[in-house]
């Protein structure tokens, strides 16, 4: 496992690589669209798996939702996709470490957000045409219920649910940056996503597909105005949770934590770390 300072160094390199990749707008946008679609896969899986349980009044429905949603970040990490929510942490750590300018970090984050939105809506169109979440199906009923629940939530509730959500998502990516085992990374992803979905927290990229399905399907529980409110409030909350409470918190922790290993020995140990140690986080 990498130390906090070494993990921060890896995150700075990842942030710089992301900012450089964003200079090639179309390839980066496509990668971000894939990231948005991968999250959409998890949304539809969650509706399909937990919808029948909710229809039957089962108390196990929230746990099942959390158990299956891990496919989202697993696909982003292993297949390769850009995700705005994890970029909120990584790009902040890169900018705080002077690996990338704050302006370029913000531009890269904005481009990944737009790509996620396009990918979520594109995937939602395909799902709508398939009919798997149509009104009258358990998945469709659960979708309508989720959208109604989000519409009735206050702005403050949405904000704090979003803060808590991206704390967990970014903790999964941060822990993955420290771990050198692919299996361990995927296990952390599973547990963190189980926690945020089962708890009912708010993820702005997941909401893109959720609202897109409602809008395309003509569900009365949603509207373009409600989509805008949700993306704004949940997006800001995700920034606070990911960029501040995880990203900057570990920047501070990395500067103040004492390092008992002499600098020369630590440098030698870092050189012996396999080159794949930082590969996972670079994908999200």
């Amino acid at each position: 496992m990498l130390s906090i300072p070494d993990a921060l160094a890896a995150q700075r390199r990842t942030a710089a690589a992301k900012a450089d990749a964003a200079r090639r707008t179309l390839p980066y946008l496509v990668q971000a669209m894939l990231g948005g679609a991968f999250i959409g896969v998890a949304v539809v899986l969650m509706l399909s798996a937990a919808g029948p349980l909710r229809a039957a009044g089962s108390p196990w429905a929230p746990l099942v939702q959390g158990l299956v949603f891990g496919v989202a970040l697993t696909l982003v990490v292993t297949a390769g996709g850009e995700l705005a929510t994890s970029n909120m942490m990584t790009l902040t750590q890169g900018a705080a470490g002077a690996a990338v300018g704050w302006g370029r970090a913000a531009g890269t984050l904005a481009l990944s957000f737009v790509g996620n939105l396009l990918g979520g809506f594109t995937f939602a169109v395909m799902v709508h045409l398939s009919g798997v979440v149509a009104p009258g199906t358990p998945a469709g009923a659960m979708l309508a219920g989720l959208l109604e629940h989000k519409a009735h939530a206050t702005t403050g509730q949405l904000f704090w649910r979003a803060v808590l959500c991206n704390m967990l998502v970014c903790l999964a990516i941060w822990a993955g940056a420290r771990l050198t085992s692919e299996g361990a990374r995927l296990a952390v992803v599973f547990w963190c996503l189980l926690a945020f979905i089962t708890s009912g927290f708010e993820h702005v990229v997941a909401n893109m597909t959720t609202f897109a399905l409602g809008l395309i399907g003509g569900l009365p529980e949603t509207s373009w105005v409600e989509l805008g409110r949700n993306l704004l409030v949940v997006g800001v909350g995700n920034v606070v949770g990911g960029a501040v409470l995880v990203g900057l918190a570990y920047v501070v922790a990395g500067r103040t934590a004492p390092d008992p290993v002499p600098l020369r020995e630590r440098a030698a140990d870092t050189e012996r770390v396999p080159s794949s140690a930082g590969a996972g986080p670079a994908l999200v």
Side-chain angles (χ1 to χ4, degrees):
M1 180 182 293
L2 299 181
S3 68
I4 290 178
D6 287 340
L8 285 169
Q11 287 289 87
R12 289 193 293 270
R13 292 191 294 271
T14 298
K18 287 176 181 289
D20 287 341
R23 293 182 184 275
R24 294 173 289 118
T25 304
L26 181 59
Y28 188 84
L29 192 65
V30 169
Q31 194 174 4
M33 289 179 66
L34 289 170
F38 295 156
I39 301 299
V41 169
V43 170
V44 175
L45 175 60
M46 178 186 72
L47 295 172
S48 300
L53 293 176
R54 283 189 174 272
S58 173
W60 295 102
L63 179 59
V64 171
Q65 291 172 215
L67 287 171
V68 302
F69 202 85
V71 68
L73 203 53
T74 299
L75 283 175
V76 173
V77 170
T78 57
E82 281 293 314
L83 194 60
T85 43
S86 56
N87 281 348
M88 292 170 184
M89 173 192 67
T90 302
L91 292 168
T92 297
Q93 291 177 331
V100 59
W102 287 101
R104 284 187 60 197
T108 302
L109 177 59
L111 186 59
S112 65
F113 187 93
V114 171
N116 289 166
L117 185 61
L118 292 174
F121 265 80
T122 301
F123 182 75
V125 169
M126 294 187 288
V127 172
H128 173 74
L129 293 174
S130 76
V132 298
V133 296
T137 64
M142 180 177 170
L143 173 64
L146 286 178
L147 289 168
E148 184 177 9
H149 179 70
K150 293 176 188 296
H152 289 164
T154 67
T155 297
Q157 288 171 336
L158 287 175
F159 173 80
W160 287 111
R161 291 171 190 174
V163 171
L164 293 166
C165 166
N166 214 26
M167 282 181 60
L168 289 166
V169 171
C170 289
L171 280 173
I173 300 302
W174 169 254
R178 298 191 66 196
L179 296 167
T180 58
S181 163
E182 300 294 343
R185 286 176 182 156
L186 295 181
V188 167
V189 165
F190 170 82
W191 284 112
C192 287
L193 267 66
L194 168 65
F196 108 67
I197 287 293
T198 303
S199 299
F201 298 151
E202 293 282 335
H203 188 269
V204 69
V205 181
N207 286 350
M208 293 173 181
T209 295
T210 304
F211 274 89
L213 288 170
L215 289 167
I216 296 168
L219 296 182
E221 294 82 4
T222 190
S223 66
W224 288 101
V225 172
E226 188 57 37
L227 168 65
R229 179 182 85 107
N230 190 279
L231 294 188
L232 176 61
V233 175
V234 174
V236 172
N238 284 168
V239 168
V240 173
V244 179
L245 298 186
V246 179
L248 291 179
Y250 275 106
V251 168
V252 174
R255 289 174 179 170
T256 60
D259 189 354
V261 181
L263 180 61
R264 191 172 299 175
E265 292 182 25
R266 188 163 68 85
D269 288 340
T270 303
E271 292 175 0
R272 289 194 291 270
V273 174
S275 59
S276 63
L283 298 176
V284 296

